[in-house]
Amino acid sequence: MPRKRILVKSIDTSISYQVIGIDLAKHLVSACLITGAGEIFGIDRLTYDDLLKSAERMSPTLFCMEPCPEVHYLAEKLQGYGHHTKVIDGAAVKEYIKTHFGGQKTDLNEFSHARERCSHRCERLKNLVVH
């Protein structure tokens, strides 16, 4: 049975999260934050600046996201703050959305499934170090 998502406007950096799933868009991100106790917090609109400022202040956690043009830049920034990052295989995301959301790509209400998706079918991140 799905757990209820608690809508919030920002990331509470005093909470330790087990995984944070983020859906990247051009100017904003949607986020689903899952605590070790299983609480699910959802943020529908968060700027990249706010995400990075919060990530800089929070304890290390796992960030999961699907492939897009910004993913390598964002992953490098998050790893620089001590976080782990995984890129979820686009086919896995597409199949999960199809079976759980009826094609509504922006609905993160049941993104707690990210825990399982982040453990397998992940893509490699590019090494952005320039020599």
Side-chain angles (χ1 to χ4, degrees):
M1 183 167 158
R3 291 194 176 117
K4 185 173 178 170
R5 173 176 71 148
I6 303 166
L7 289 175
V8 293
K9 294 188 184 239
S10 61
I11 297 174
D12 183 348
T13 58
S14 66
I15 297 174
S16 179
Y17 299 100
Q18 182 177 1
V19 66
I20 298 177
I22 51 178
D23 185 9
L24 308 174
K26 191 179 275 187
H27 302 291
L28 299 170
V29 299
S30 297
C32 181
L33 305 93
I34 305 168
T35 67
E39 290 181 301
I40 302 171
F41 296 95
I43 302 174
D44 287 332
R45 294 175 182 256
L46 186 67
T47 66
Y48 281 89
D49 285 341
D50 289 341
L51 174 67
L52 291 173
K53 286 176 188 172
S54 296
E56 189 175 20
R57 294 190 314 266
M58 63 194 302
S59 61
T61 192
L62 172 63
F63 281 85
C64 294
M65 58 206 97
E66 64 181 303
C68 75
E70 291 290 318
V71 75
H72 299 287
Y73 166 78
L74 187 58
E76 184 177 74
K77 286 288 222 182
L78 293 169
Q79 289 170 356
Y81 299 142
H83 301 290
H84 301 283
T85 57
K86 297 252 180 165
V87 178
I88 304 170
D89 176 27
V93 172
K94 186 175 182 179
E95 181 61 28
Y96 183 76
I97 290 167
K98 179 180 165 188
T99 58
H100 289 78
F101 301 122
Q104 297 178 25
K105 190 172 176 105
T106 58
D107 189 359
L108 291 174
N109 205 21
E110 302 227 8
F111 201 71
S112 61
H113 191 65
R115 285 182 270 201
E116 290 82 29
R117 288 289 180 221
C118 284
S119 65
H120 65 287
R121 293 186 69 181
C122 292
E123 297 184 0
R124 291 178 177 236
L125 290 169
K126 293 179 185 175
N127 185 352
L128 299 179
V129 177
V130 179
H131 297 282

